[in-house]
Amino acid sequence: MQTLSRTSLFQRVTLTLSFLAISTLALAQPKSDEPRKDKIDWNQPIAVASIASIDRVLDDVDYMFSTIDKPEYPAMIKGFLAQYRNLDGIDKTRPLGAFVFLKEGISPQPEVVGFIPIKDLDALKTTLEEVGILLNPVPDQENRYTVALPQFSLHLKMAHDYAFVQIKSEALDRDFYNPDEFTKPLAEKYDIAASLLLKNVPEPMRMMAVDLASARIDDQLQKKESETDLQFESRKATTMMIFKQFQTIAKEGAALTFGYELSREKKQILLHFGIDAKPGTDLTKQLEALSQKASQYSYLNAADSDVLGYTIVPLHKDIEQKMLLDVIEQSKSNVPPVFFGSEANPGPAAKIFKSAESTVKSGKLDAHIKLVQNGDEKLALIGALKLQEAASFREGLQEFFDLISQAEDTKGIKANVAEVEGVVIHQISPDDVKNNARDIFGENPVIFLGCSDTECWVAMGEPSSLELLSASISAAAKQGKQTKPGSPFLFSLKFASILPLASQKNKDPEFVESAKVAFATGGDLVTFSPKITASQFSLNLELGEGFIRLFSLAIANR
């Protein structure tokens, strides 16, 4: 499995969820019904959704509103529950939720059954009776009950100290597995979670999803009039790559899981989407290999930057490499021949292009970019790109700036303005800077460039951004080898850093003011990153405590 860009990953996740949902809900008719009956355990759920416990939800509500000092809201909820005897009879410490089963038949259809943990059935009966709801046993059927509601009735079956509930009585005519077996792993990690258990979805249905995806791709993979040949080939290759990964997940995936956690201890919200692989499959081998790889910039700490992004971008030979090499070749025509020199004595441009071409042909781009505070609510941009034959690039860059600086009109170009850890830094002062760039980087932003034996560094901002670039280069020299395995990319943002821009543009003033209050004491960091192990690939979105305050304020101010 190749390392993916963020866009590609989003596309894969979207397709995976869409088509696997279709496979679960489709009215599939397999070629042979008898073999499936022998192999399928119809009592196994194909999906489960769970809430960790009622007590945990109430604790989350307490925590949410404690962040804005509004204890009256949790008190209102507790007062409401008190009217219903605090749900006496229900076990508020255990998970509750729903299973999705396949209804046995030639065309299996999904069937949802809820489950509620019961502590004392008699106490629950009393609780229901106090609000006018009757719980009656079904004659001659052990552990079966009806719940008489004003407009309709529910059917209930007791098993494993859980009440299984459905509108149709026949939906409960099965031997239920203990929900603890399915909910415990989810409840240990998340407050609310849902999991599509691919391993329990019949193979014909999973393969039908693949066939549906293949047919849709065939319809869409037609060249558009506005596309060039290269654009079409690029789109086609990307689509087929996504389809192959979807096919692998449909065949060798064990589960797709979405989880939500509100953590008082970590002071954050976590959203998780994970793909678990069946043991011993090719998908497991791919994940194991990917779990050992990382961007060389994964040592960077999200909390140290207002915006941070690092990634390894794969470059396929016939698509991205070809496209970039064409761009490089076209760029050569804009460079005066004097800068190329000769084959025996190459000039600075020849050396720079040689490194650039080698980097593209390596099959990947490994880079990072970050924005950091640079005084007066302005930011500095700092970035780096790992290079192949970087010594050639560095030598060419040095020669180029030396030549330009000797000219009468250097147009704001200065060579050798600083040297840090062996990296010689040069400066460019652009003439025409757009207003939106000035809003971010200051009135007179400059660009700094420098190369080491492995990478090229760049910074943009006020002249003081040179100090920030120097600090980054020094940190990389000390920490650059301390990468984090299984970290191919990351994006993070301190939300408070973009609020001044929103204020200037007068975008939703009410929201901006609430956000200022919510993030006044920090907790504005958003981080989006994968976590890869030998058995699971997951995408994780972490939101700091300031977002908990922001959501709580939104509710309180309604």
Side-chain angles (χ1 to χ4, degrees), residues 133-309:
I133 300 173
L134 299 179
L135 178 65
N136 299 315
V138 177
D140 302 324
Q141 293 192 47
E142 187 177 3
N143 294 322
R144 300 290 288 264
Y145 302 84
T146 58
V147 182
L149 299 173
Q151 301 296 328
F152 60 93
S153 293
L154 290 175
H155 296 271
L156 183 151
K157 180 179 180 178
M158 289 297 303
H160 310 294
D161 293 326
Y162 277 89
F164 293 88
V165 183
Q166 234 273 359
I167 293 177
K168 298 179 179 179
S169 175
E170 58 269 24
L172 305 180
D173 293 339
R174 64 171 73 242
D175 294 325
F176 291 101
Y177 284 90
N178 191 333
D180 291 344
E181 177 183 340
F182 300 89
T183 60
K184 185 177 180 181
L186 299 176
E188 287 176 348
K189 297 179 180 179
Y190 315 111
D191 299 332
I192 301 172
S195 185
L196 175 59
L197 306 172
L198 292 174
K199 60 184 179 181
N200 294 342
V201 177
E203 184 174 358
M205 298 188 73
R206 285 184 275 122
M207 292 304 100
M208 180 184 179
V210 173
D211 292 340
L212 289 172
S214 179
R216 186 170 180 82
I217 287 172
D218 289 341
D219 290 340
Q220 293 184 346
L221 281 186
Q222 303 296 325
K223 185 178 178 181
K224 300 176 182 178
E225 292 183 3
S226 59
E227 285 183 314
T228 64
D229 289 342
L230 188 59
Q231 288 173 332
F232 170 65
E233 291 300 326
S234 176
R235 181 171 64 86
K236 181 179 178 180
T238 300
T239 302
M240 292 309 299
M241 181 177 62
I242 294 170
F243 171 72
K244 288 179 180 179
Q245 292 298 327
F246 165 72
Q247 187 178 37
T248 299
I249 293 170
K251 184 178 179 180
E252 301 180 352
L256 303 180
T257 300
F258 173 81
Y260 160 88
E261 180 195 21
L262 179 67
S263 174
R264 185 190 294 261
E265 179 182 356
K266 297 178 181 179
K267 296 184 178 181
Q268 69 173 24
I269 294 171
L270 169 67
L271 298 176
H272 161 102
F273 174 76
I275 301 171
D276 292 280
K278 292 180 181 177
T281 60
D282 288 341
L283 181 57
T284 301
K285 295 176 183 177
Q286 293 171 11
L287 289 176
E288 187 173 6
L290 190 56
S291 69
Q292 303 303 314
K293 297 181 180 180
S295 167
Q296 76 165 26
Y297 301 106
S298 59
Y299 66 87
L300 292 169
N301 185 1
D304 295 338
S305 306
D306 290 85
V307 178
L308 171 64

Side-chain angles (χ1 to χ4, degrees), residues 4-56:
L4 309 174
S5 67
R6 286 188 294 273
T7 302
S8 177
L9 280 167
F10 272 120
Q11 291 172 327
R12 293 187 182 201
V13 169
T14 302
L15 282 173
T16 299
L17 287 173
S18 300
F19 289 121
L20 285 171
I22 291 172
S23 74
T24 301
L25 299 176
L27 304 180
Q29 183 171 355
K31 296 180 180 178
S32 175
D33 194 41
E34 291 303 319
R36 186 182 63 190
K37 286 185 177 179
D38 293 338
K39 296 178 181 179
I40 295 177
D41 181 355
W42 297 100
N43 295 320
Q44 283 275 12
I46 63 168
V48 57
S50 74
I51 297 172
S53 72
I54 294 174
D55 281 350
R56 199 143 119 192

Side-chain angles (χ1 to χ4, degrees), residues 451-468:
C451 285
S452 69
D453 286 335
T454 59
E455 60 198 337
C456 184
W457 288 87
V458 62
M460 180 175 179
E462 293 286 356
S464 57
S465 61
L466 176 58
E467 297 178 12
L468 299 172

